[in-house]
Amino acid sequence: MFTGVGLIAFICIFGAGLLGFALRGFLPEHHRTDETGKTVHNVMGVVALLAALVLGLLVANTKSSFDLRSQEVQQFSANLTLLDRELVHFGQDAVKMREMLRAFTAHKIAQLWTDRGAEPAKDAAESVQLLDEIESNLRLFAPKNEVHIEGRKNALDIIRELKRTSRLLSVQQINATPRPFLIVAIFWLSVLFLCRAIFAPFHGTVIAAFFLAALSVSVAINLIFDMDRPFTGFIKVSPVPMQQALDWMKS
């Protein structure tokens, strides 16, 4: 599914190819010789190589970042479940803390997985406040036996890890791929299509080839932009682990 960036890339790249076909008729005959065409194609080969390297690097980088976000969400949801299990050992003394933990989980889901263009339902600081309250209650809790002592220590360790991951997930909603890389890649590809079209024959098969090539690279650019928004893009990190953790807490 195309977003604005993918559509802009397609318009620029395919439009440059059409412009090249149009410019072909205005060039003098001696500028359209076979020798000139071969020279331009060789020079444009350098541009094609650079564009391929940049696109490959961006796709690999965003895919690696996307996979890391997915792993963090899975670990985050596992820690939430573990914390809830530790609090269960405290019995009625932990009822309020478990309610706050469920509220935190619900807030985090609403904050991360929002509709496109919508503001997060809860601010990250507000969500972390709930963890702070749970931590404060745990520190004030007087252990009654060895099980409580060990459980409180484990719960405090898990809360520290949850705070760290919660902050990471919040800041990672911001686009990480530098936009100049995408702009430069689109420019290089546009120049490449422009120059290749000037020396290409003008008929339906060639136009179709240019169209499919422009569509293919635009999809790659769109994929980079989409995976760079792991919680709001068309391809996004699954909220299922977090939802399962919340359902487990309610059971």
Side-chain angles (χ1 to χ4, degrees):
M1 182 177 180
F2 263 166
T3 61
V5 172
L7 184 59
I8 290 172
F10 176 76
I11 291 173
C12 291
I13 297 169
F14 186 62
L18 295 179
L19 179 61
F21 287 123
L23 290 176
R24 177 186 176 90
F26 294 96
L27 289 178
E29 186 64 31
H30 64 278
H31 285 182
R32 291 186 283 117
T33 60
D34 291 340
E35 291 77 9
T36 303
K38 290 179 181 178
T39 302
V40 172
H41 287 173
N42 290 335
V43 172
M44 286 299 105
V46 177
V47 178
L49 178 61
L50 286 173
L53 287 174
V54 169
L55 284 178
L57 175 64
L58 291 177
V59 169
N61 181 66
T62 52
K63 181 62 169 62
S64 175
S65 177
F66 184 88
D67 290 341
L68 181 58
R69 300 296 83 76
S70 181
Q71 292 173 10
E72 287 175 346
V73 166
Q74 293 175 15
Q75 184 62 53
F76 192 67
S77 61
N79 283 337
L80 287 169
T81 304
L82 288 174
L83 179 57
D84 183 67
R85 292 301 91 191
E86 292 291 349
L87 295 177
V88 167
H89 296 148
F90 301 141
Q92 291 299 315
D93 295 327
V95 170
K96 182 180 178 182
M97 288 185 282
R98 293 189 68 201
E99 289 176 354
M100 287 189 290
L101 183 61
R102 287 194 292 269
F104 168 79
T105 305
H107 289 175
K108 202 65 184 176
I109 293 172
Q111 177 203 345
L112 293 175
W113 287 275
T114 57
D115 294 331
R116 295 187 182 192
E119 292 296 326
K122 294 290 179 182
D123 185 75
E126 182 180 346
S127 298
V128 173
Q129 265 187 353
L130 292 167
L131 284 181
D132 289 335
E133 291 181 30
I134 298 173
E135 185 178 28
S136 297
N137 289 340
L138 276 173
R139 293 187 184 280
L140 294 174
F141 175 71
K144 299 174 182 177
N145 50 51
E146 291 295 329
V147 174
H148 285 179
I149 294 174
E150 183 67 21
R152 188 178 73 164
K153 179 181 179 299
N154 292 339
L156 289 173
D157 290 340
I158 294 172
I159 287 176
R160 282 192 290 271
E161 181 65 20
L162 285 173
K163 284 183 176 181
R164 186 189 71 83
T165 310
S166 178
R167 180 57 183 163
L168 280 175
L169 292 175
S170 296
V171 299
Q172 285 159 358
Q173 289 180 282
I174 304 171
N175 295 332
T177 301
R179 291 296 167 257
F181 276 95
L182 290 177
I183 294 172
V184 169
I186 293 173
F187 173 74
W188 284 344
L189 290 166
S190 298
V191 171
L192 179 63
F193 273 60
L194 173 68
C195 294
R196 289 293 176 90
I198 290 176
F199 296 94
F202 183 71
H203 52 72
T205 302
V206 173
I207 294 175
F210 270 73
F211 176 86
L212 292 176
L215 182 64
S216 298
V217 294
S218 298
V219 167
I221 292 172
N222 189 82
L223 187 64
I224 293 169
F225 183 78
D226 209 52
M227 286 196 300
D228 204 28
R229 301 174 299 162
F231 300 106
T232 58
F234 183 71
I235 302 174
K236 59 185 176 182
V237 174
S238 174
V240 171
M242 291 285 289
Q243 192 61 54
Q244 287 177 340
L246 181 59
D247 293 340
W248 179 268
M249 295 174 194
K250 295 177 178 178
S251 62

